[in-house]
């Protein structure tokens, strides 16, 4: 039967009309979001090569077993490095190409965890011997920290590294079941080497706490495990996600490694077993900070995918009452839908920008760290803790909102978001569980508060102290001048046309006031905290930081010579939407701290809802951005091959794409499934017999 | 290597200590939550039989392909009906046994969608011929409503059923690609028959809108599709969930069915083609209401599973600073954790109770409907719309919170929650997409408001009208007596010991006031609504309804002779926690409507946070419930076989369970994976060559 193509015609028309409506220059905005024409062209070139290479064909992956997905992943990696060599890719090319593989692969642990830690902390001798091998994947590494019974609390790790002065060796050992290294990416089947975190035990028996050691796991000749090492894959993940990564376990049975294999740039053991202290106790957090700053960028691009797919589908999907043209309405025209999708788009743009800012800050810190200067560590630690929580939480929530916005078809694997969600949702619990990180962010904020205002919170800091506040606690300046300073209370808050709701600086100040008052409140109640205060303070202080950065992004737009005036106007509105919806999501805080005034609080029901002004301003901003939605999603520059989504296809022909994909389902290979003879037929026959018996009884 | 068992000893100790701490009588509470000893014993007996039957063995399912999962599902069904027959199960036994299969299976569409619609609407002749066959699965049915291009808006379905008076037949036809039936559970490979929703076209060409028709799809001899019918499976779902259900597509090419196959109890076509009107236009919603009331119960039990697993794991998981006993703290002792988990437990208890209330209401309505009395339809429609949204949204959110509360191991498929989440999350978009249902709930609320207070919202209803308000809009009575009535404003809201925060009636009244004021606000602004008002009103009015029911549940506890006094005290606290956290989740509403007063609103930062009182009351209630957590989860009566979770095992020995499960991973069958020769080795060798070249260059 030849399917009738009427739907595709209308789908295509809806999409091309939406493209015509958009007023931004897609090329300019694309160059802007990719941080320059060159970066965009790099990606475009790589997509061109890879999307045509059969090794990177995505068809059929929905039906693969875990083992097949793992094998496919390594096939892709091998092919990619083949291309790297034959086409002479630079390091940046390979990084972009790796991202294009669109799977969680073991290599990411080598590149983002193993290699940076090794480079940062290995001795010159070790670097000399292994750095080139690592950079070229002549050995494949993993980073063994987490244990079966031990996660965030690194101090309680059980694996031991006992120094044996007689042979100048360390003995790595797993004394208990719970000391088994667990969750280690690439360990299960792939890695040949690894960095293991273990308690350093000195010859006298003194426990020096966790340190890092470089260890070979498998033979480079046969890939078999070395003696004393038990390693395997820990099994499938929730949502069948991360299937191509072999997260593994490892147990060590008195395994000896040479003394030189301790990563000893900042802490060493002398031949005789004497411990030489590191200059900064938290030096080893450097690697984790790098991973976290990378996670912000990643959250941005992942959110971007969800925005593109859901906005495209909502543009061509029609449902509801019919208009004069006989067509149902495009669902994106419903406020309940576009008010969910456009803020997601705004977060994608903001997080991509934030990730860039953070990477720059990390590079500066890493340079200073390598020369022993740890001054930026605390600031970046505070910032990345809160940001990691904020961005990962928001991005998984946005992905799921975007998926649900697609209604029934959002539950098809072919929508492409569910798969990405499954991979991404791990980020809320790895690299610092979000609730634990909240507490770190809060601790940093409280420390800054008391540094400024003393133990009793009542001291007055000097104005130079205030002027030198770092970005992470810049909002605390607001508490310094009380009572003279006054927050920007919106006296006519319920009025949506109040220009304040459309003024970024007002919204940013509100976010900063909220952060300041939350920290102030916590400082007063810290001995008897309620159960959610840490989360609220972490979110509040991080949103103040992000809000200020978004203000800078808006400022920078005007100075960007690549963007046309109209592009600047539209992007400013998108950033404004980010600020507006950030404030909206925390209305309880703003109201309880009197930052939003209720005009006539003594009479219930008499006053107008003071939150209505903001909500209407959001609704209006969304309506203004609506015709720009497809332009702004196109500017994110995803090809159909990258999105791999039947609902997010560039041409909008979603129903044909769904139909075509369904025909590939293996269950459809046979008209009568194998289960028929085995189960269905016996079940039907039994039922027919029973029904007949009933009928006879009736007679 | 023999794993060291120290962790299991401590795990077991922690769990048995927690059991000793609990003061409730697990048997009594179990009988209470199962609605009587008899129901609990029924389930216990079935678990005993099924958990030992190899057909229902769950081991290895994590690694099955979709086709294997589908075949396994049908094997389980066939075996279950075998047992039903041989052991003489009653209908209730089979219903419970089906739930125990712990998979989304095609049979649920037969039982919850196809059969009820058929029984409610088929003519006596059709009933006589097929009812017994359907009841015994002598034929297997599906319910074909949704189309590729058409979901909630049934009015726009494209499939046609044209009456042919000459042969007294209907011709079922799919005129377009988008008219393909889509997402139809059990259609893909299993169903032999179905009910299809199609536009009834009369001989004159008149379109009478959607009606239902009974149609045979496959031969009962060969299971092959009948002529003119194209059917297949629509492919995998997001999160690899619902894998054992063959959601399918169907296209009809001028397929003729006898006139008698129209489900004609409420609407008929005479032989000559004249249409005979149904007595009530919305009569066919009956089936959907049944499904929705069932979904509330299901949400309760699913939430219960998540609560049991996460609370058990948090009881034995230790992490953080070490106490004097040398052990890290049990993570459930952290407020940031138990304040997330105990409210989930409270929602499980409440939703299970709500589902029971609703099922009773549905049975009464169905009885009245069958005799043509439609008076209860509107009320139940309004109630189930809002409740379906509330319960499905909450249960999937709670499952995900519970999963994340388990940190890293929460991302292992072996935790058992992710799998259930994947199946359950479909419920937010099926059987009425939640955002669409919100609007229906709001429409019902607005209609009730204007019925009472007139078009201008200012009329005064009579006191008898007020007294006869149905439960769904009972809160509207509060608006009738203004200004004399006053909401229960907590003058000392920031004081946590204010007894009001622990008084259910105060909290319920607050929820009702919020609902009333939200509807009042919406009535004033309905011409220019903001984008989220429908959601807030739907949630607000439904929570007022649920709150009142929870008040009744607390009242009923005292009259329950099966419960001991202490059980009543503990369960009352659990219900109280539900009310407290329901209020907490909507603080922005309470603050903006002045239902929570800010004491000194004119001076920013001077007043205490007015939300702190409630938050501290929640924290205190959680602390009091904490020692009861394991008792209350045990009372939910899940066996290890049912939970199939390494982290939720009854004996608490989670690390051993995780270790044992990981050993089953197919990737672990070979020490060196197949990918080694194919991909890993070439990649390593290439890297080694490149590194060597670099080294030579250096020299």
């Amino acid at each position: 039967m030849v399917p009738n193509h009427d739907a595709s015609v209308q789908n295509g028309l809806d999409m091309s009309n939406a493209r015509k409506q958009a007023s931004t220059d897609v090329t300019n905005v694309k160059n802007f979001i990719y941080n320059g024409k060159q970066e965009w062209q790099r990606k475009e070139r790589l997509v061109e090569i890879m999307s045509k290479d059969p090794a990177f064909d995505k068809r059929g992956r929905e039906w693969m077993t875990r083992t097949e997905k793992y094998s496919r992943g390594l096939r892709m990696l091998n092919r990619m490095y083949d291309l790297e060599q034959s086409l002479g890719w630079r390091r940046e090319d390979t990084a972009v190409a790796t991202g294009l593989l669109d799977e969680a692969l073991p290599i990411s642990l080598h590149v983002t965890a193993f290699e940076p830690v090794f480079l940062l902390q290995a001795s010159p001798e070790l670097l000399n011997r292994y750095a080139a091998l690592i950079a070229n994947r002549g050995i494949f590494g993993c980073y063994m920290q987490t244990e079966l019974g031990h996660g965030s609390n690194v101090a309680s790790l059980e694996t031991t590294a006992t120094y044996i002065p007689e042979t100048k060796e360390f003995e790595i050992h797993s004394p208990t079941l719970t000391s088994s290294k667990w969750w280690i990416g690439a360990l299960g089947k792939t890695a040949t080497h690894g960095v293991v975190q273990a308690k350093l035990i000195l010859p006298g028996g003194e426990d020096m706490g966790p340190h890092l050691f470089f260890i070979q796991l498998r033979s480079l000749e046969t890939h078999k495990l070395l003696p004393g090492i038990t390693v395997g894959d820990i099994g499938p993940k929730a949502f069948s996600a991360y299937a191509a990564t072999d997260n593994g376990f490892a147990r060590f049975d008195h395994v000896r490694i040479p003394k030189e294999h301790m990563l000893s740039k900042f802490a060493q053991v002398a031949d005789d077993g004497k411990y030489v202290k590191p200059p900064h106790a938290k030096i080893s957090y450097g690697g984790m900070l790098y991973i976290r700053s990378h996670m912000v960028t990643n959250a941005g691009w992942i959110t971007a995918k969800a925005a593109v797919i859901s906005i495209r589908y909502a543009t061509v999907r029609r449902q509801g009452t019919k208009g004069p043209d006989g067509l149902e309405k495009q669902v994106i025209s419903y406020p309940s839908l576009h008010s969910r999708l456009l803020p997601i788009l705004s977060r994608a743009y903001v997080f991509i920008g934030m990730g860039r800012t953070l990477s720059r800050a990390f590079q500066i810190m890493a340079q200073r760290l390598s020369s022993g200067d740890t001054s930026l560590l605390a600031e970046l630690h505070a910032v990345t803790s809160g940001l990691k929580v904020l961005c990962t939480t928001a991005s998984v929530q946005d992905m799921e909102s975007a998926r649900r916005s697609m209604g029934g078809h959002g539950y098809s694997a072919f929508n492409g978001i569910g798969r990405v969600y499954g991979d991404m949702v791990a980020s809320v619990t790895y690299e610092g569980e979000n609730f634990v990180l909240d507490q770190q962010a809060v601790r940093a904020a409280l420390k800054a508060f008391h540094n400024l205002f003393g133990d009793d919170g009542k001291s007055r800091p000097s104005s130079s102290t205030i002027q030198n506040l770092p970005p992470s606690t810049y909002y605390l300046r607001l508490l310094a001048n009380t009572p003279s300073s006054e927050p920007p209370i919106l006296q006519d808050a319920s009025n949506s046309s109040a220009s304040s709701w459309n003024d970024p600086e007002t919204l940013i100040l509100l976010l900063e006031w909220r952060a300041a008052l939350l920290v102030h409140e916590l400082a007063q109640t810290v001995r008897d905290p309620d159960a959610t205060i840490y989360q609220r303070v972490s979110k509040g202080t991080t949103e103040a930081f992000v809000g200020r950065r978004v203000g800078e992004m808006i400022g920078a737009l005007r100075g960007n010579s690549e963007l046309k005036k109209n592009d600047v106007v539209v992007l400013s509105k998108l950033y404004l939407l980010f600020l507006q919806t950030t404030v909206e999501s925390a209305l309880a805080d703003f109201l309880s701290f009197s930052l939003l005034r209720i005009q006539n609080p003594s009479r219930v029901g008499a006053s107008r809802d003071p939150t209505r002004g903001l909500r209407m301003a959001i609704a209006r901003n969304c309506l203004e951005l609506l015709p720009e939605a497809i332009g702004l999603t196109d500017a994110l520059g995803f090809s159909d091959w990258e999105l791999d989504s039947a609902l997010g296809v560039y041409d909008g022909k979603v129903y044909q794409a769904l139909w075509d994909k369904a025909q590939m389902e293996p269950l459809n290979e046979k008209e009568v499934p194998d289960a028929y003879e085995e189960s269905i037929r016996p079940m039907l026959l039994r039922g027919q017999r029973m029904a007949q018996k009933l009928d006879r009884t009736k007679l």
Side-chain angles (χ1 to χ4, degrees), chain A:
Chain A
M1 182 178 50
V2 180
N4 191 319
H5 281 262
D6 54 342
S8 292
V9 172
Q10 187 60 44
N11 287 164
L13 213 58
D14 285 340
M15 190 56 88
S16 61
N17 284 340
R19 292 217 160 86
K20 277 180 215 147
Q21 261 181 40
S23 72
T24 51
D25 184 312
V26 171
T27 305
N28 290 351
V29 179
K30 200 184 277 171
N31 290 339
F32 162 74
I33 197 77
Y34 276 87
N35 204 24
K37 197 174 174 176
Q38 213 180 347
E39 286 304 312
W40 160 248
Q41 286 174 340
R42 180 201 307 280
K43 186 189 144 183
E44 198 178 23
R45 180 168 42 86
L46 290 166
V47 168
E48 174 69 17
I49 296 166
M50 293 170 70
S51 62
K52 289 176 180 160
D53 191 315
F56 309 115
D57 192 345
K58 297 176 181 179
R59 280 174 298 180
R61 62 174 163 163
E62 293 90 345
W63 296 283
M64 289 180 182
T65 64
R66 249 210 90 194
T67 302
E68 287 165 353
K69 285 181 185 169
Y70 171 72
S71 295
R72 171 177 176 266
L74 282 158
R75 254 193 321 273
M76 291 200 295
L77 284 182
N78 185 35
R79 174 63 182 153
M80 183 178 75
Y81 293 122
D82 191 14
L83 289 172
E84 176 189 57
Q85 196 183 22
S86 61
L87 301 177
W89 286 353
R90 288 156 177 266
R91 200 180 168 82
E92 295 78 24
D93 295 318
T94 309
V96 172
T98 309
L100 291 176
L101 297 178
D102 186 24
E103 287 284 352
L105 295 173
I107 191 66
S108 70
L109 287 307
H110 177 98
V111 172
T112 66
F114 172 73
E115 188 172 16
V117 166
F118 188 88
L119 293 181
L120 201 64
Q121 303 202 41
S123 66
E125 300 73 35
L126 222 49
L127 282 173
N128 197 38
R129 197 161 152 210
Y130 289 103
L133 272 172
I134 291 170
N136 292 287
R137 285 89 39 198
I139 65 175
F140 202 112
C142 63
Y143 178 65
M144 294 175 275
Q145 177 172 305
T146 309
E147 297 177 354
L148 179 55
H150 311 280
S152 306
N153 185 20
V154 176
S156 72
L157 291 175
E158 292 179 84
T159 305
T160 52
T162 309
Y163 183 62
I164 317 285
E166 292 72 24
T167 56
K168 293 182 192 160
E169 288 176 313
F170 290 102
E171 190 176 272
I172 310 292
H173 184 59
S174 312
T176 61
L177 172 69
T178 41
S179 74
S180 308
K181 292 294 174 185
W182 205 265
W183 276 113
I184 313 304
L187 167 62
K189 294 281 128 184
T190 318
T192 60
H193 292 68
V195 166
V196 61
Q197 196 153 42
K199 292 195 291 189
L200 168 62
I201 311 289
L202 298 184
E206 201 183 350
D207 176 354
M208 303 307 293
H211 285 75
L212 300 174
F213 303 86
F214 177 70
I215 188 168
Q216 179 167 358
L217 301 166
R218 286 184 170 88
S219 154
L220 286 175
E221 303 302 315
T222 63
H223 209 60
K224 292 208 173 209
L225 292 164
L226 298 187
I229 300 180
T230 306
V231 159
D233 184 283
I234 62 160
K237 286 79 168 186
F239 314 127
S240 299
Y242 247 84
T245 294
D246 52 327
N247 294 81
F249 61 81
R251 302 203 58 184
F252 302 98
D253 185 8
H254 302 92
V255 177
R256 295 283 181 100
I257 58 170
K259 174 176 172 291
E260 291 69 33
H261 280 201
M262 177 171 176
L263 296 194
S264 57
K265 196 152 179 192
F266 302 110
Q268 299 184 40
V269 175
D271 285 358
D272 62 357
K274 227 163 95 187
Y275 184 70
V276 187
K277 255 193 168 173
H280 189 288
K282 285 178 181 170
I283 200 79
S284 66
Y285 288 148
M288 195 163 238
L289 294 189
Y290 170 77
I291 297 174
R292 285 189 197 149
S293 71
H294 187 78
M295 285 171 83
V296 173
T297 308
N298 194 37
W301 283 108
I302 289 292
T303 306
K305 275 193 183 180
V308 174
I309 292 171
S310 55
I311 288 174
R312 283 187 181 163
Y313 178 61
T315 300
V316 300
R317 165 95 173 125
R318 288 176 172 275
Q319 168 140 314
T321 42
K322 287 183 183 174
D325 55 2
L327 294 170
E328 296 175 275
K329 280 169 74 176
Q330 287 168 280
V331 297
I332 200 165
S333 67
Y334 294 106
S336 73
L337 202 73
H338 64 239
S339 72
R340 274 182 280 164
L341 298 183
L342 292 169
I344 296 176
L345 184 64
S346 80
R347 283 187 282 274
Y349 270 76
V350 166
F351 291 164
I352 291 169
M354 278 301 308
R356 199 159 286 142
T357 308
L358 219 57
S359 295
R360 270 195 297 265
F362 178 79
Q363 277 156 13
I364 295 169
M365 186 205 68
Q367 276 168 2
R368 296 207 195 163
L369 263 189
S370 65
S371 59
D373 173 1
T374 58
S375 58
L376 288 178
L377 198 59
E379 170 73 1
L380 211 60
H381 181 65
V383 166
T384 56
S385 300
L387 263 179
K388 186 267 181 182
V389 176
L390 188 77
C391 294
T392 56
T393 307
S395 68
V396 297
Q397 189 174 318
D398 283 344
M399 262 184 287
E400 184 59 7
S401 300
R403 193 187 65 70
R404 293 188 196 175
S405 81
M406 301 191 288
H409 293 328
Y411 194 56
S412 165
F414 302 143
N415 76 62
I417 297 181
R419 182 185 63 243
V420 185
Y421 175 91
D423 290 347
M424 185 68 188
V425 76
S427 66
V428 303
T429 42
Y430 70 51
E431 296 307 334
E433 199 272 339
N434 281 3
F435 283 84
V436 175
L437 281 187
D438 275 341
Q439 288 170 19
Q440 296 188 12
V442 170
R443 214 169 297 143
L446 271 183
K447 196 174 156 195
F449 175 85
H450 288 298
N451 277 347
L452 277 181
F453 303 108
D455 289 346
D456 62 353
K458 287 174 183 165
S459 303
R460 283 283 148 84
S462 73
S463 66
S464 78
T465 310
I466 291 297
Q467 273 155 22
N468 289 320
L469 278 173
S472 67
T473 50
Y474 181 60
Y475 59 86
L476 284 176
R477 77 188 185 284
L478 297 170
L479 296 177
N481 310 316
T482 26
S484 70
S485 75
E486 262 295 311
I489 295 172
L490 303 178
Q491 290 296 347
D492 193 13
S494 67
N495 182 357
S496 69
S497 56
S499 62
S500 322
W501 289 126
N502 295 315
D503 174 41
E505 185 57 26
T506 304
L507 296 163
I508 295 165
L509 261 175
L510 271 172
L511 289 169
E512 291 183 327
W513 267 105
R514 164 191 172 227
L517 294 173
L518 271 168
V519 173
H520 182 256
E521 170 80 11
L522 176 61
Q524 289 179 284
T525 60
V526 72
R527 285 203 190 84
D528 192 18
D530 73 66
T532 60
I533 185 81
Y534 291 101
Q535 275 175 274
R536 282 183 291 136
V537 171
S538 168
K539 194 164 190 289
T541 54
T542 307
E543 286 180 344
F545 172 84
V546 173
R548 187 50 67 194
R549 302 289 85 68
V550 171
E552 292 166 1
M553 289 179 201
I554 296 176
L557 285 177
R558 293 194 199 101
N560 189 314
S561 59
E562 287 204 62
L563 292 171
K564 289 187 191 148
K565 202 169 165 187
N566 180 59
D567 303 330
V568 172
V569 170
V570 172
L571 287 171
S572 298
K573 280 183 192 166
L574 191 66
Y575 288 135
L576 174 67
L577 185 62
F578 175 91
L579 294 171
Q580 290 171 324
T581 50
T582 301
V583 172
E584 188 198 20
S585 73
L587 278 172
D589 284 348
F590 291 100
L591 286 160
S592 63
F593 287 119
S594 298
L595 291 166
L596 275 185
R597 287 287 160 79
I598 289 129
Q599 298 213 308
N600 186 2
S602 60
R603 271 274 284 109
V604 168
S607 60
R608 289 301 296 275
D609 179 356
T611 68
R612 182 168 154 82
L614 172 61
R615 288 183 163 126
M616 291 305 295
I618 291 173
R620 302 233 152 90
N621 195 6
C622 282
L623 271 182
E624 289 177 31
L625 281 165
L626 193 54
E628 308 296 344
I630 286 295
L632 290 170
T633 49
D634 282 352
L636 290 164
F638 289 114
S639 65
D640 282 349
W641 170 74
E642 284 168 272
L643 294 177
D644 192 21
S645 163
L647 302 185
V649 285
Y650 183 82
D651 66 9
K653 297 176 180 174
V654 298
Y655 297 118
Q656 190 61 49
L658 270 177
W659 175 272
D660 293 344
K661 280 267 199 182
Q663 309 314 310
M664 293 172 63
E665 165 62 48
L667 273 172
N668 292 334
E669 280 162 19
K670 296 179 183 175
E671 183 177 342
V672 177
D674 294 341
Y676 177 66
E677 282 300 333
E678 189 194 16
S679 313
I680 299 175
R681 192 153 185 263
M683 183 163 54
L684 294 171
L685 289 176
R686 184 187 307 111
Q688 287 157 18
R689 279 195 307 272
M690 286 170 72
Q692 222 165 23
K693 213 191 289 179
L694 277 179
D695 278 350
R696 266 201 301 273
T697 321
K698 256 198 267 178
L699 293 176

